[in-house]
Amino acid sequence: MNTIRTDAAAADGLAGLAALMGDRTRATVCLALLDGRAWTAGELARVCGVSAATMSRHLDLLTSGGLLAEQRQGRHRYVRFADAGAAEVVESLAAASHTPRPPTSYAAARVDEGLRRARTCYDHLAGRLGVAVLDGLEQTGYVERSAGLRLTDHGSRWLRRLGIDISEPRGGRRPIVRECLDWTERRSHLAGVVGADLFRIFVDEGWIRRGEQRLVLITEVGANALRRELGVTVE
């Protein structure tokens, strides 16, 4: 009987998640939030092309369902993913459901190519650059994938040199390293604690900078550093 109740609870949870994501406006909200930043309800309403009242109802559903968390500041309502796990669910669903479509304009083609080249996946790096970084980490011996992805001792020493100490206690149960299927490349990029820390370091060191939407732009300093550190050749 316990197994039956557990399975029923899991089925209810999955059905609830599917209902949350089964609306185009709410799906658009979740995709927008994959840039890792908090958005106001008004910003999301403009992106989705709906009224403020309609967006408020959608955000109520997403927060009560546990996907999003909100913070009020003055008259503004900010929302972001409740945690990294919620963002990873959305990215995984996007990867599983992505069907390439030809861009409808030159501007759209530029954005599409930019997203494929380098973008955020919540708080870590994705696109061709994200995949190349994970490949570089493996080729340098900083991670290994013979029995599931793991960080090596050599990799831990390299991270400490960059200013990342994974021995420090972290809240939650997020894995140290995790493969995340990239929805444009159909290969894995790096997620987990190390993926988030590397993205932060790359930004702080000026190797990359954020662009519009989820775009990530690689600087000349970053191109040289990634080639030196990981053997990654940037376009």
Side-chain angles (χ1 to χ4, degrees):
M1 292 296 293
N2 288 337
T3 301
I4 294 174
R5 284 198 297 269
T6 301
D7 289 348
D12 289 343
L14 183 58
L17 176 62
L20 278 177
M21 298 299 298
D23 176 271
R24 184 181 179 84
T25 297
R26 292 196 291 275
T28 302
V29 166
C30 290
L31 290 173
L33 291 174
L34 282 174
D35 72 352
R37 292 177 279 201
W39 288 54
T40 68
E43 290 168 337
L44 291 168
R46 286 191 291 275
V47 166
C48 295
V50 299
S51 69
T54 297
M55 178 53 62
S56 181
R57 290 194 293 272
H58 283 299
L59 295 181
D60 286 343
L61 288 171
L62 289 167
T63 52
S64 63
L67 270 180
L68 304 187
E70 70 173 18
Q71 179 180 353
R72 299 217 177 238
Q73 187 170 324
R75 61 187 181 87
H76 293 296
R77 179 188 191 183
Y78 288 88
V79 294
R80 65 191 321 152
F81 282 113
D83 52 33
E88 289 163 4
V89 166
V90 172
E91 181 72 11
S92 297
L93 288 172
S97 61
H98 179 64
T99 302
R101 297 178 182 176
T104 56
S105 67
Y106 176 69
R110 289 189 63 185
V111 171
D112 183 70
E113 173 56 24
L115 290 172
R116 291 173 180 276
R117 183 184 301 114
R119 67 181 184 277
T120 56
C121 175
Y122 185 51
D123 60 359
H124 55 272
L125 195 60
R128 288 196 294 271
L129 181 60
V131 171
V133 165
L134 180 54
D135 287 344
L137 289 168
E138 183 177 23
Q139 290 162 11
T140 52
Y142 295 155
V143 301
E144 66 97 15
R145 292 194 258 194
S146 60
L149 188 67
R150 74 172 188 88
L151 183 69
T152 65
D153 292 339
H154 186 36
S156 296
R157 290 191 294 271
W158 177 72
L159 290 175
R160 282 195 294 271
R161 181 163 62 80
L162 290 182
I164 300 172
D165 186 357
I166 62 164
S167 66
E168 295 179 353
R170 308 290 180 99
R173 295 176 293 177
R174 194 175 190 185
I176 297 298
V177 290
R178 186 182 72 83
E179 293 188 65
C180 183
L181 180 62
D182 197 284
W183 60 265
T184 56
E185 299 308 296
R186 300 295 172 145
R187 296 183 58 214
S188 294
H189 58 248
L190 181 67
V193 170
V194 172
D197 282 351
L198 282 179
F199 182 79
R200 174 181 54 81
I201 290 292
F202 289 179
V203 172
D204 290 348
E205 294 296 320
W207 296 7
I208 60 176
R209 60 185 177 87
R210 289 180 178 270
E212 296 180 355
Q213 300 183 39
R214 297 170 60 190
L215 291 173
V216 170
L217 307 175
I218 306 105
T219 67
E220 184 177 353
V221 170
N224 292 332
L226 289 168
R227 187 181 305 112
R228 180 184 68 248
E229 297 288 342
L230 298 174
V232 171
T233 301
V234 178
E235 300 171 25

